[in-house]
Amino acid sequence: EDQVTQSPEALRLQEGESSSLNCSYTVSGLRGLFWYRQDPGKGPEFLFTLYSAGEEKEKERLKATLTKKESFLHITAPKPEDSATYLCAVLGLQGAQKLVFGQGTRLTINP
Amino acid sequence: DGGITQSPKYLFRKEGQNVTLSCEQNLNHDAMYWYRQDPGQGLRLIYYSQIVNDFQKGDIAEGYSVSREKKESFPLTVTSAQKNPTAFYLCASSSGTSGRWEQYFGPGTRLTVT
């Protein structure tokens, strides 16, 4: 069974303090790993897809990386508007088109 | 503007009543999904459809029903058989083609049953 575990559950940073969020996964052959951002009371917003180990993608202050067992979302010099819950999901070979989501990391950036 | 719309944003119902949540997309996507989100439990898949007139149960389908008569629409009915219907419901869609598996989400419907 495909599984995704995100850590930490919650993270508080000061504005400008860089850090990383972790997404560990087990999957029966990875077709894709996805990162989303979710603001309170809203639907998740798609950020990145990573397909194979070694791949990296960037968007503004966010950079996602992928190994065979985990993915990191690096946040460089964050601003208060980066505060949100970040969700990780995987799509395995056996999952039809069903994504398996982690519980999310709730990120708070204090000014 | 292409996207996914869900209506209504907030919905209140009494116990014992069925309720239907709307989901429409104009992204020309083949696949559509319904998720439920509860505090601290992440997203759980209720039903999904990869093509018109076909759909499959997800992980928590009991007490729910869906239809897919049009490519653009995938309504979800929460029946009185669903024991804990109060939740945030999210609809999503994806292209369904190889290499384009990312799902795009609507704004959600918050259902409260009392």
Side-chain angles (χ1 to χ4, degrees):
Chain A
E1 183 180 332
D2 300 344
Q3 288 188 329
V4 175
T5 303
Q6 292 187 246
S7 61
E9 285 188 18
L11 181 62
R12 284 185 177 272
L13 301 171
Q14 290 298 121
E15 184 172 1
E17 181 185 0
S18 301
S19 188
S20 297
L21 312 183
N22 178 263
C23 171
S24 297
Y25 65 92
T26 55
V27 68
S28 56
L30 181 70
R31 282 197 281 176
L33 184 141
F34 308 86
W35 281 99
Y36 289 86
R37 169 195 171 123
Q38 185 176 26
D39 292 305
K42 297 190 176 180
E45 174 191 350
F46 170 70
L47 294 173
F48 305 110
T49 304
L50 300 168
Y51 295 100
S52 58
E55 189 175 1
E56 299 181 351
K57 289 200 175 164
E58 288 188 64
K59 180 180 181 179
E60 296 181 355
R61 295 175 292 282
L62 300 177
K63 179 180 178 180
T65 62
L66 181 65
T67 73
K68 288 187 177 179
K69 293 185 178 180
E70 57 193 349
S71 176
F72 292 94
L73 185 65
H74 307 278
I75 302 177
T76 302
K79 299 181 178 182
E81 53 263 40
D82 294 321
S83 297
T85 295
Y86 290 86
L87 301 171
C88 173
V90 296
L91 177 65
L93 289 174
Q94 297 182 6
Q97 292 183 37
K98 296 164 56 177
L99 299 189
V100 175
F101 281 85
Q103 308 282 57
T105 293
R106 189 172 64 254
L107 177 66
T108 304
I109 308 299
N110 295 316
Chain B
D1 255 350
I4 302 173
T5 57
Q6 292 186 244
S7 61
K9 186 171 182 179
Y10 299 97
L11 192 53
F12 298 89
R13 281 293 183 271
K14 296 288 187 185
E15 261 188 40
Q17 293 179 336
N18 292 354
V19 60
T20 297
L21 282 59
S22 168
C23 177
E24 304 277 332
Q25 55 99 358
N26 61 2
L27 299 168
N28 199 32
H29 283 170
D30 286 317
M32 296 187 74
Y33 312 80
W34 274 105
Y35 292 89
R36 170 182 173 138
Q37 188 173 37
D38 297 282
Q41 292 205 40
L43 274 69
R44 293 184 289 168
L45 183 65
I46 304 172
Y47 268 97
Y48 66 103
S49 168
Q50 295 179 276
I51 197 169
V52 174
N53 291 323
D54 188 43
F55 49 83
Q56 288 79 38
K57 293 182 179 180
D59 301 318
I60 55 165
E62 185 175 351
Y64 299 98
S65 67
V66 294
S67 63
R68 185 87 187 275
E69 297 177 0
K70 298 188 300 181
K71 186 175 184 177
E72 302 79 17
S73 178
F74 191 40
L76 173 74
T77 297
V78 184
T79 75
S80 56
Q82 168 50 232
K83 294 180 181 177
N84 295 299
T86 294
F88 189 47
Y89 289 88
L90 289 160
C91 179
S93 70
S94 68
S95 169
T97 57
S98 179
R100 297 299 307 273
W101 294 298
E102 66 272 9
Q103 295 180 13
Y104 295 90
F105 285 82
T109 292
R110 187 165 298 280
L111 173 65
T112 303
V113 177
T114 58

